[in-house]
Amino acid sequence: MRTHDGKRLHSTSAPRTRAVLVGAEVSSFHSPWSAEDSLRELALLADTAGLEVVGSIYQKLDQPFPKHFIGPGKVREVAELRERTGAGLVIFDDELSPAQTRNLEEDLQVGVLDRTALILDIFAQHARTHEGRLQVELAQYNYMLPRLRRQWSHLERQAGTGGGTSAGGVVGLRGPGETQLEIDRRLIDQRIALLKEQLADVHRHRELYRERRKSSGVPVIALVGYTNAGKSTLLNALSGADVLAEDQLFATLDPTTRQVTLPGNHQVLLTDTVGFIQKLPTQLVAAFRATLEEINQADLLLHVVDLTHPNAQEHAQTVEKTLEELGVSRKPTLTVLNKVDKLDGIDPSEVGTLAAEMGLPSDVIAVSAQRGWGLDLLGERIVAALAEAMVALDVMIPYQRNDLVSLWHRRGVIDREEYVSEGTHIHGRIPHALAQQFERFVR
Ligand SMILES: Nc1nc2c(ncn2[C@@H]2O[C@H](COP(=O)(O)OP(=O)(O)OP(=O)(O)O)[C@@H](O)[C@H]2O)c(=O)[nH]1
Ligand SMILES: [Mg+2]
């Protein structure tokens, strides 16, 4: 991500750019977050992006001000703080309109970013796959496009002096700058179109792979949750995989899928997804199409919550709201409370009560992904939840079709099995995706 004047936000070798943070608690936004908590999170984001936070200010408001988001008195306060601390950047915790950013940059005489731009910068640093990079670039251009403005004052000046021939000089003055702006817009539009094409290609490939996966009938489970909740650690713990897990926001941007064997030898596919965060514009989450598709296709969601985070309740609410906005809130979901190893002194049996107090569902499973605590129970609960999402069938499978019997053993749940003269009589449940293959043997 670059600032509006085209410079990189920071580089790792140079001293870290100092930043002042500005937050607002806007009552009309009805957010469960306090400005202090939200600013603490913004400071973590700034740190992840490689910036040094040197101060923060917030204001309580009924409504944002149209010109600067915050009020005129606050703008002066921010200007003073910025000068005193020598900060080279001011970061707002809320999304600013292009005009607000412009006004603030003019009045504060320094680069101004909002939370979205900061998150985009982190995304750009963390995207590792080809698709992830394409997606981030697309999101960056979409963010940049309405914020483009004339930056070629040297051209304007030349035009101003030499452009006296046009009426009043105004047209001449504006000409080259506007032309450059038009060229830039057109270039970005072309790049956006190209990125979309490339993404569509990647998407088609994935669709083929997914079709194959679907026909195999292996249930798919998606890990969802707030950033840093421990999703990747849980994926690693359950599958023996080695996905990057870090004490960092947005460590994971590209979904990873692993095969996992659950109690009773049930095979499932477990997918790690990009974490959610409050005030992340939904269209930005939507840019992570692979994540969305994984969540959409999943038979079951595991909502991972860091129980030990002071804002665990706000985190869980944010995740639920995001899922709702993405239109996937009606999936069967298990809530997994992670990091219980950090709660020394708390009896695991009290975790349910604690969860209920925090407004979380009380039928939760407490685990420590890091220590491997509670994973057997989690496995059993997953198997039970998947069984509920299956179809109950009573079939007689002829002995020539023993392949179907073993398929049922691998993928389904058996309540009763008898070997009789006509074949194997099975009463139990099988994933929806496989039910069709057994239809002709239903009794
Ligand atoms: N104490 C403790 N720490 C944990 C546990 N699970 C994860 N962590 C730590 O929490 C941090 C975040 O873990 P990740 O697995 O990267 O979290 P994530 O949800 O994948 O995060 P993003 O990919 O950034 O959304 C890491 O430092 C982990 O070591 C746990 O059970 N106990
Ligand atoms: Mg992760």
Side-chain angles (χ1 to χ4, degrees):
M1 185 76 204
R2 283 152 207 279
T3 51
H4 302 304
D5 53 2
K7 287 195 214 82
R8 281 270 326 155
L9 251 183
H10 68 94
S11 80
T12 39
S13 55
R16 303 208 293 167
T17 301
R18 294 182 186 176
V20 160
L21 310 183
V22 184
E25 201 168 297
V26 186
S27 48
S28 62
F29 287 0
H30 306 292
S31 164
W33 288 79
S34 72
E36 286 106 319
D37 286 343
S38 189
L39 274 176
R40 243 191 299 281
E41 186 179 86
L42 186 70
L44 278 180
L45 286 168
D47 184 63
T48 304
L51 300 167
E52 183 188 355
V53 176
V54 288
S56 67
I57 284 186
Y58 74 89
Q59 180 172 37
K60 294 200 175 179
L61 295 169
D62 293 332
Q63 286 286 347
F65 285 81
K67 189 165 180 200
H68 295 107
F69 198 87
I70 49 173
K74 270 288 159 191
V75 177
R76 278 193 296 278
E77 257 184 66
V78 174
E80 279 164 29
L81 178 65
R82 188 206 73 72
E83 253 170 61
R84 209 168 56 239
T85 55
L89 258 185
V90 174
I91 306 177
F92 273 67
D93 194 22
D94 294 272
E95 199 173 359
L96 298 171
S97 71
Q100 284 167 339
T101 308
R102 208 157 44 233
N103 296 335
L104 284 160
E105 285 188 336
E106 268 161 27
D107 291 351
L108 297 170
Q109 285 297 300
V110 70
V112 173
L113 294 181
D114 59 13
R115 181 184 260 255
T116 309
L118 189 62
I119 291 174
L120 276 171
D121 192 71
I122 297 172
F123 281 3
Q125 290 176 38
H126 291 181
R128 291 193 172 70
T129 62
H130 174 59
E131 180 177 22
R133 294 214 172 101
L134 291 176
Q135 284 173 329
V136 172
E137 200 184 335
L138 181 60
Q140 284 179 316
Y141 281 129
N142 278 328
Y143 179 84
M144 225 186 257
L145 204 52
R147 288 170 172 79
L148 275 188
R149 62 188 138 120
R150 280 186 293 160
Q151 290 167 352
W152 292 272
S153 40
H154 59 289
L155 288 177
E156 286 171 14
R157 246 175 278 129
Q158 279 168 13
T161 48
T165 48
S166 52
V170 180
V171 178
L173 181 78
R174 289 176 44 196
E178 285 298 325
T179 309
Q180 185 62 48
L181 190 59
E182 279 307 306
I183 294 171
D184 260 45
R185 284 212 178 101
R186 215 169 41 236
L187 285 175
I188 290 186
D189 276 337
Q190 282 168 3
R191 184 76 191 141
I192 286 179
L194 186 70
L195 285 167
K196 282 187 174 161
E197 247 172 62
Q198 290 177 321
L199 277 166
D201 250 8
V202 180
H203 173 66
R204 268 192 297 277
H205 277 120
R206 214 179 31 237
E207 199 52 39
L208 279 177
Y209 162 75
R210 199 170 280 134
E211 279 302 311
R212 274 207 301 274
R213 195 168 87 183
K214 210 170 178 176
S215 64
S216 75
V218 182
V220 177
I221 301 168
L223 290 160
V224 296
Y226 213 73
T227 178
N228 214 42
K231 300 176 293 298
S232 300
T233 309
L234 187 59
L235 177 81
N236 289 339
L238 287 170
S239 70
D242 192 16
V243 173
L244 177 79
E246 268 186 303
D247 193 10
Q248 220 189 33
L249 305 182
F250 299 112
T252 307
L253 279 189
D254 308 299
T256 310
T257 303
R258 288 283 177 274
Q259 179 138 0
V260 174
T261 308
L262 295 174
N265 205 25
H266 289 281
Q267 302 295 318
V268 297
L269 290 172
L270 193 59
T271 296
D272 193 10
T273 63
V274 60
F276 296 157
I277 197 166
Q278 55 130 0
K279 296 183 183 171
L280 178 67
T282 317
Q283 76 267 21
L284 232 175
V285 186
F288 290 85
R289 189 165 170 178
T291 277
L292 271 189
E293 285 168 6
E294 291 299 337
I295 297 177
N296 251 322
Q297 303 266 334
D299 300 286
L300 177 71
L301 303 184
L302 295 188
H303 177 182
V304 184
V305 183
D306 173 0
L307 179 64
T308 66
H309 195 286
N311 297 117
Q313 183 173 357
E314 286 87 350
H315 288 181
Q317 283 174 0
T318 302
V319 170
E320 273 160 27
K321 196 173 129 246
T322 310
L323 288 174
E324 213 171 282
E325 283 168 6
L326 295 172
V328 285
S329 56
R330 291 217 187 106
K331 291 258 174 202
T333 305
L334 289 179
T335 307
V336 182
L337 301 181
N338 190 26
K339 309 197 188 181
V340 284
D341 57 287
K342 282 166 89 180
L343 293 181
D344 25 61
I346 288 197
D347 188 327
S349 64
E350 285 171 34
V351 169
T353 323
L354 197 66
E357 275 169 16
M358 289 166 52
L360 295 167
S362 53
D363 64 330
V364 294
I365 305 123
V367 304
S368 164
Q370 204 175 60
R371 306 271 181 95
W373 299 351
L375 298 187
D376 289 343
L377 179 65
L378 174 60
E380 283 164 26
R381 293 285 302 275
I382 293 174
V383 173
L386 285 173
E388 271 174 35
M390 292 181 181
V391 204
L393 284 183
D394 188 358
V395 294
M396 179 68 76
I397 303 171
Y399 289 116
Q400 310 84 285
R401 294 307 310 271
N402 262 345
D403 57 311
L404 286 180
V405 174
S406 57
L407 180 66
W408 197 305
H409 277 257
R410 271 180 288 133
R411 310 272 188 257
V413 175
I414 294 180
D415 295 329
R416 207 171 57 236
E417 184 176 27
E418 292 168 310
Y419 303 98
V420 292
S421 56
E422 307 105 282
T424 313
H425 175 200
I426 297 179
H427 184 93
R429 274 176 287 185
I430 189 87
H432 280 285
L434 294 181
Q436 207 196 341
Q437 298 187 52
F438 291 90
E439 231 159 50
R440 45 193 283 239
F441 304 115
V442 171
R443 302 207 324 154

